[in-house]
Amino acid sequence: MPEPKVVLFLAAFLFCCGVYGVLSRRHLIMILMSLELMLNAINIMLVTFSRHWAGKNHDMLGAHAGQFFTLMVMAVAAAEVGIGLAIIVALYRRKHTADADAATDLKN
Amino acid sequence: MIVVFWVSFIVALVGSALLITQKHAVYALLGLLIAFGASAGVFLSLDAPFIAVSQILIYAGALAVMFLFVLMFTDTRTDEDTGLPGAVGSRAVFDPATGRPAKKKKKKKADEEAKPSPFSGLVMPKPMAVAVSLALLVCFTAAIVTLPSGFNRFGPLPSAYDGINFEGVERSADQIKSDPNLLPFGSTEAVSRTIFEGFPLAFEVVSLLIFAAVLGAVLLARRHLVGIPGTQDVAKESGHA
């Protein structure tokens, strides 16, 4: 078994990679992909704590709650990507670009 | 399992590094796919096979394909450092009247004849973004290092085979068979019983969420918004109708 702290560090690293991607990119699809990486890091963290709990308390519901939340995060991520990509397609149809700085219609 | 974990660890680091450094969106998507697959390996090494398979099915299977399709629908060249509209430091390329990118500048000849450097496919790091994410990483690492010693290793899993539950009480074979707490950790049966016995309402709410998301996505990505007041006919506006 890996050590919990190492797994948590991996999750933290993936999350920070996602933060960097969101902050540094201007292509909307790249921003969405970085967001997905952040959600994935959260999933790793949830599964780690789920496994940690299962080693301390032998109850099925408590031990698998983290995995259940992981499934919820996956569902929310799928819904989010569906909506986000639809918005990107709509923006591209109007502006002919997927750049975040092109969406300034609400400015001023 | 420890080998699976360390291989996944390295591969996930490489994949996420690819995602944030590659200029070309398809290569970045490849990095994201690699990171997702490696995360599935991490889930496997954490005794969560059902989550690992869901990860591959949903993330690597469905989401990546959706990203790839939208990348094909849209222009991927508007990312930074490509010298095309949207490049860093050239914010004026968007025509303020139409909001659309102005005419592309002709590339300089020197650029075309320049030898491609091995770093030409990479994005230049943004100092502020690097600072913020590094600071976050330092904070997270400090929090992880100071976790109590109970987090130094994972405890043992319950096993139905030793016939002894966590409190050390002996049980009969029938009791073991019917005890959900002795289901194999992370198995499909244990996860599904957790969903339907523990959190059925959340499960139903998520189905509503996905239904709403599907409706919203269809509505947003439609070309004609016929009969819906307040929305413009994009096709007519751009002269295709």
Side-chain angles (χ1 to χ4, degrees), chain B residues 81-101:
Chain B
D81 298 329
T82 48
L84 289 168
V88 172
S90 57
R91 287 170 184 259
V93 291
F94 290 108
D95 191 346
T98 61
R100 290 179 180 174

Side-chain angles (χ1 to χ4, degrees), chain A residues 24-26 40 60 64 93, chain B residues 22 39 55 80 86 181 186:
Chain A
S24 66
R25 295 302 186 108
R26 288 177 44 215
N40 193 49
M60 181 195 72
H64 290 88
R93 202 166 274 155
Chain B
Q22 285 295 317
S39 305
Q55 167 89 8
E80 50 271 89
N181 293 334

Side-chain angles (χ1 to χ4, degrees), chain A residues 1-10 12-17 19-21 23-27 29-30 32-33 36-37 39-40 43-44 47-52 54-56 58-61 63-65 67-68 70-72 74-79 81-83 85-87 89-90 92-99 101-102, chain B residues 2 5-6 9 13 16 19-20 22 28-29 32 36 39 42-43 45-48 51 55 59 63 66 71 73-75 78-80 86 91 99-101 123 125-126 129-130 132-133 136-137 140-141 144-145 147 150-158 166 180-181 185-186 190-191 194-195 199 206 213 217 220-223 232 237:
Chain A
M1 287 300 294
E3 284 182 34
K5 291 181 179 179
V6 179
V7 192
L8 291 178
F9 175 77
L10 172 67
F13 183 85
L14 290 187
F15 189 86
C16 292
C17 279
V19 169
Y20 175 78
L23 288 178
S24 66
R25 295 302 186 108
R26 288 177 44 215
H27 196 288
I29 297 179
M30 297 300 305
L32 257 186
M33 279 156 60
E36 290 307 304
L37 192 67
L39 287 172
N40 193 49
N43 281 349
I44 292 178
V47 171
T48 309
F49 284 122
S50 159
R51 175 64 185 82
H52 181 257
K56 305 268 176 197
H58 291 182
D59 61 326
M60 181 195 72
L61 283 183
H64 290 88
Q67 299 196 7
F68 171 75
T70 303
L71 291 174
M72 292 295 110
M74 282 180 185
V76 171
V81 166
I83 292 284
L85 289 181
I87 291 175
V89 168
Y92 183 76
R93 202 166 274 155
R94 291 187 70 87
K95 305 278 189 190
H96 295 278
T97 178
D99 193 296
D101 284 3
Chain B
I2 194 73
F5 173 74
W6 281 110
F9 186 91
L13 296 192
S16 55
L19 171 70
I20 59 172
Q22 285 295 317
L29 179 62
L32 186 70
F36 282 165
S39 305
V42 172
F43 293 152
S45 70
L46 288 173
D47 296 318
I51 303 295
Q55 167 89 8
Y59 273 110
L63 288 194
M66 257 160 75
L71 279 178
F73 286 152
T74 61
D75 190 0
T78 52
D79 211 335
E80 50 271 89
R91 287 170 184 259
R100 290 179 180 174
V123 182
K126 309 279 186 301
V130 170
V132 169
S133 46
L136 253 183
L137 185 59
F140 287 152
T141 309
I144 290 165
V145 166
L147 275 175
F151 282 91
N152 282 339
R153 58 188 171 78
F154 290 115
L157 288 175
F166 191 56
N181 293 334
F185 179 73
V191 173
T194 305
I195 293 175
F199 310 94
V206 157
L220 279 169
R222 263 174 88 182
R223 186 173 281 274
Q232 289 173 331
E237 186 189 72

